[in-house]
Amino acid sequence: LPPDTGGDAGRVAQRDKPQQWRRGLEAGLWRAARTTLSVSWRRAAYNRHRATYASDASFKSLRGLARHNDKTWFNAHKAQYEDHVRQPFLRLLTDLQPDLAAVSLHVRSDPKTVGGSLFRIYRDARFSNDKSPYKSWQGARLFHERHKQVPAPSFYLNPPPGECCVGGGLWHPEPDTQRRVRQFIRDNPGSWKKAAHDASFRRRFEFEESEKLVRPPRGFPTDFEFIEDLKHRNFVLWRSLDDAT
């Protein structure tokens, strides 16, 4: 609420503010108010950090790591990685919070250095033929507040040099979750068409298809309108971005 403007009139107006807000809430105006606040916060964040999230030095650091993916090189250049990649990304996650709240109050952009949205730069190479110790990219996941209790979609930010993208959806869902998503699409083709195949939406986003099934999943009719969508293992839509963006 704004500060008291002074005088009896100001104090009366100040006392009336909670009631005015409650009436606004009851009238369904909270979303409009929240959107207005979000725009203000977004403009402030843009003006404050517009040139600090990524730079030529950020991509140079990641390209260097891709060429010299070993502990000795990384330790010698860790300060550059911290200054030009990790810390700017953490600031981005902080500044995204008001905008994300305007989309959903249940999705988190968490800037915690451990256990937050930012992916670790260290690879888990225990079960991989590629024993490189580090990722050559730095990404983040904006997750649902209950993602540890239930399967839930996330938003993804993935800006490796030359392969920047943003996306959202379910990545590597468990078989039971895959089945439930496919069954929902089968039972609700109209809703699915409106959500995933809107023409303006598909001009900007496309399905991630790296692990798509060759044949339709068992138990679904091959003549179903969206049978190609049911072949997906990952239900993710994404959009590529150039490095300048």
Side-chain angles (χ1 to χ4, degrees), residues 189 191-202 207 225-226 229 237:
S191 297
W192 178 250
K193 182 176 182 179
K194 184 178 180 180
H197 290 274
D198 175 77
S200 62
F201 178 71
R202 292 306 299 273
F207 275 107
E225 180 181 4
F226 301 112
D229 294 348
L237 287 118

Side-chain angles (χ1 to χ4, degrees), residues 198-213:
D198 175 77
S200 62
F201 178 71
R202 292 306 299 273
R203 282 195 295 269
R204 293 175 292 166
F205 293 90
E206 59 184 311
F207 275 107
E208 196 285 326
E209 302 197 1
S210 63
E211 301 177 23
K212 192 174 180 179
L213 297 172

Side-chain angles (χ1 to χ4, degrees), residues 6-26:
D8 293 340
R11 283 191 290 273
V12 170
Q14 187 71 10
R15 282 200 308 270
D16 287 345
K17 285 292 183 180
Q19 297 179 8
Q20 293 171 10
W21 274 95
R22 279 196 292 273
R23 287 196 294 270
L25 287 170
E26 293 168 0

Side-chain angles (χ1 to χ4, degrees), residues 60-70 73-74 81 121 134-137:
K60 181 180 179 181
S61 178
L62 292 173
R63 283 193 293 266
L65 182 57
R67 289 194 301 269
H68 309 282
N69 201 321
D70 61 76
W73 187 93
F74 183 74
Y81 161 74
I121 197 66
Y134 307 103
K135 301 167 185 170
S136 60
W137 51 273

